[in-house]
Amino acid sequence: MVNMRLLWLCAATLVVLANAGTLKDTPKLRFDNYGVYKLTIRNRIQLALIEKIGEISNKYDIWKEYDEHTKEVHIMVSPEELKHFQELLRVNDISSEQMIENVQELIDGEQVTAAADSGTFGWTKYYELSEIEAWLDSVLAAYPTVTEEFIVGQSYEGRTIRGIKISHKAGNPGIFIESNIHAREWITSASATWFINQLLTSEEPAVRNLAESYDWHIVPVFNVDGFEYSHAKNRMWRKTRQPHATNECIGADANRNFDSHWLENNGASSNPCSETFAGDEPGSEPEAKALVEYLTQIKDQFSVYISFHSYGQYLLSPYGHTATEFPDNYADLLEIGEAFATAIEDLPYGTVYRYGTTADVLYVATGTSVDWVFNELDKKVAFTIEYRDLGRYGFILPPVQIIPNCEELMAGMLALIDKSKELGYI
Ligand code: 0X9
Ligand code: ZN
């Protein structure tokens, strides 16, 4: 009882804090002395408490939702809130470990100095949307016979969601890659552009085969509004940028907004302030709606769907909506997962990826793009890749790790495609 009273007391204060002022017209948000903590959750009351504080305040931000297997939650806490937070952990007997001491320090370190910047587009730093788009234009201009632009649709703020198709011959099986649906997951678009570049320039036989035997449909930055916002205002932004009719909190989790078990089983939130807000209805976010329409239109042109995310090092297959049912081809999906993970672990970095269904190895997530494609478009090879790392840097993966991460992607992707082909999916 005491705990619940304490919870509601802080809930009330935090709602006030959360609503004080808007981010618009403010300078870039700073995260000085914001810490990230790994909490070990031992019961449902502890979990409910942590999920609640993650939803009600801008002083807390859940970086990694509760994972059934590790029992971990990763949460970012503002310095003003730290004492309060520690008291909350103490009273509720939740053990914690600090993973990041000062988020701002990592953000600062993420910005490459002018001296180290070669000036040409590459993979030793992170770029803004306009720079990625300019690079995309240059690639389209440089490879006019094998590349073609496609447009998924328009974002809430009116940006164009662009993709590139790479095709060497008619009749190739297609592979669709959607990347950066979560704005703060910058490694995803860096990896997508690297991958595009490899398909176009690599001379390695295995990569040439990958490039020339498949049609690639790649959207390097899907959540364009959120991505722009994560550069301009708030590095930790995840959601879309569409305001809510009756709530001050902005945006929905685009990866909870698809019409597949939408908002079932606690796999998303109905609270607009939550990082996993499902939206008011499936397709309420113009980006998700546009993707559904676009994919439906080209559904005969692809047989594999991959969604790029970070972090945690997983290859996740459907289902996301339940941990007690598994798809009919689960054994095959596991085999593909094993091939993917083994190929990555065999590289000199020795990075370990886990694989399995989202709900089983990670957590229940409903209304995701991958589950929608799997269930509604009947594409039986559909995966989410969660890139590096395990939480040392989380979303702020240092630029020196971009290329190693990308090398892992290529090794994993080669194995994934090979195995899918061997199993008769392509
Ligand atoms: O929660 C998510 O949307 C993803 N994790 S993240 O930390 N990047 O936010 C996992 C999505 C799992 N995907 C599917 N169920 N298909
Ligand atoms: Zn994500």
Side-chain angles (χ1 to χ4, degrees):
M1 218 41 221
V2 171
N3 295 359
M4 284 318 277
R5 249 200 347 255
L6 188 67
L7 169 62
W8 288 118
L9 204 72
C10 53
T13 351
L14 294 174
V15 166
V16 174
L17 287 171
N19 292 339
T22 69
L23 286 168
K24 272 236 157 82
D25 308 320
T26 55
K28 241 187 218 182
L29 222 57
R30 292 189 59 87
F31 294 90
D32 295 294
N33 300 313
Y34 278 61
V36 179
Y37 297 83
K38 172 160 78 187
L39 310 181
T40 305
I41 304 293
R42 287 195 310 271
N43 58 53
R44 299 170 76 88
I45 298 170
Q46 293 180 341
L47 183 60
L49 173 86
I50 296 304
E51 283 179 342
K52 199 79 214 156
I53 63 171
E55 285 197 354
I56 56 178
S57 165
N58 62 354
K59 305 289 164 191
Y60 293 100
D61 182 5
I62 298 203
W63 276 31
K64 191 164 190 276
E65 282 184 74
Y66 177 63
D67 168 343
E68 278 286 349
H69 283 255
T70 58
K71 311 282 176 210
E72 281 175 20
V73 171
H74 300 175
I75 189 166
M76 180 174 76
V77 183
S78 75
E80 312 87 80
E81 199 54 29
L82 193 56
K83 276 223 146 47
H84 196 183
F85 174 66
Q86 281 164 341
E87 181 63 7
L88 213 70
L89 296 185
R90 196 187 59 76
V91 171
N92 290 281
D93 196 24
I94 300 174
S95 54
S96 75
E97 185 193 314
Q98 190 181 58
M99 302 181 81
I100 298 173
E101 203 186 311
N102 182 355
V103 170
Q104 188 60 45
E105 214 169 80
L106 297 191
I107 294 175
D108 293 343
E110 196 181 34
Q111 295 309 317
V112 172
T113 57
D117 185 0
S118 69
T120 51
F121 196 89
W123 291 273
T124 52
K125 62 175 270 195
Y126 293 104
Y127 293 93
E128 292 182 19
L129 185 62
S130 59
E131 295 169 308
I132 294 175
E133 294 203 336
W135 175 80
L136 204 62
D137 286 333
S138 74
V139 164
L140 289 161
Y143 300 91
T145 55
V146 294
T147 67
E148 190 186 315
E149 181 188 35
F150 66 87
I151 289 171
V152 174
Q154 304 296 121
S155 69
Y156 171 75
E157 289 175 345
R159 293 186 179 83
T160 301
I161 304 167
R162 304 171 65 190
I164 180 171
K165 181 177 170 190
I166 303 175
S167 175
H168 280 78
K169 57 180 189 291
N172 272 342
I175 298 163
F176 197 100
I177 295 178
E178 156 236 298
S179 163
N180 233 160
I181 190 170
H182 289 145
R184 62 191 173 186
E185 297 165 12
W186 288 4
I187 185 59
T188 60
S189 45
S191 301
T193 54
W194 181 89
F195 195 77
I196 293 165
N197 187 57
Q198 285 293 302
L199 291 176
L200 293 170
T201 64
S202 171
E203 286 172 4
E204 258 181 68
V207 180
R208 289 278 21 100
N209 178 53
L210 205 61
E212 289 165 21
S213 311
Y214 302 92
D215 281 0
W216 295 87
H217 307 249
I218 304 177
V219 181
V221 182
F222 174 68
N223 181 2
V224 280
D225 294 353
F227 185 69
E228 180 68 23
Y229 195 76
S230 72
H231 276 271
K233 299 281 179 180
N234 180 353
R235 176 65 185 87
M236 301 326 301
W237 194 258
R238 166 181 170 98
K239 300 190 282 182
T240 60
R241 290 295 303 162
Q242 178 170 241
H244 193 267
T246 57
N247 190 296
E248 294 233 3
C249 288
I250 289 178
D253 184 346
N255 205 33
R256 297 292 183 283
N257 195 233
F258 293 81
D259 198 3
S260 180
H261 299 275
W262 183 80
L263 205 50
E264 288 176 15
N265 305 348
N266 287 318
S269 173
S270 55
N271 179 350
C273 297
S274 166
E275 291 292 8
T276 54
F277 175 47
D280 283 332
E281 58 187 17
S284 60
E285 305 314 290
E287 300 80 4
K289 185 166 180 276
L291 186 60
V292 162
E293 284 165 8
Y294 184 73
L295 292 174
T296 305
Q297 191 191 311
I298 64 148
K299 68 175 189 308
D300 298 330
Q301 295 175 42
F302 70 98
S303 41
V304 171
Y305 189 89
I306 316 270
S307 175
F308 287 0
H309 288 255
S310 73
Y311 60 95
Q313 298 168 199
Y314 300 96
L315 182 73
L316 302 168
S317 82
Y319 300 130
H321 72 282
T322 172
T324 54
E325 282 169 54
F326 294 85
D328 290 341
N329 67 334
Y330 184 45
D332 289 349
L333 294 175
L334 283 180
E335 219 180 298
I336 297 168
E338 190 191 358
F340 177 89
T342 306
I344 292 177
E345 203 173 340
D346 282 351
L347 293 178
Y349 309 113
T351 305
V352 175
Y353 270 69
R354 286 172 283 175
Y355 55 91
T357 76
T358 296
D360 192 29
V361 307
L362 191 57
Y363 45 68
V364 173
T366 55
T368 65
S369 61
V370 166
D371 277 21
W372 182 82
V373 169
F374 187 87
N375 292 323
E376 303 306 318
L377 295 185
D378 207 31
K379 304 295 174 191
K380 295 307 175 200
V381 180
F383 288 102
T384 299
I385 305 178
E386 296 276 357
Y387 287 118
R388 290 185 180 200
D389 57 9
L390 296 172
R392 167 66 188 89
Y393 296 99
F395 302 114
I396 316 166
L397 194 70
V400 293
Q401 290 199 43
I402 298 174
I403 288 177
N405 187 77
C406 291
E407 290 168 358
E408 290 168 350
L409 161 64
M410 184 56 86
M413 189 69 95
L414 284 165
L416 184 154
I417 299 299
D418 256 11
K419 185 56 84 178
S420 303
K421 189 162 181 241
E422 185 190 313
L423 294 172
Y425 288 96
I426 303 177

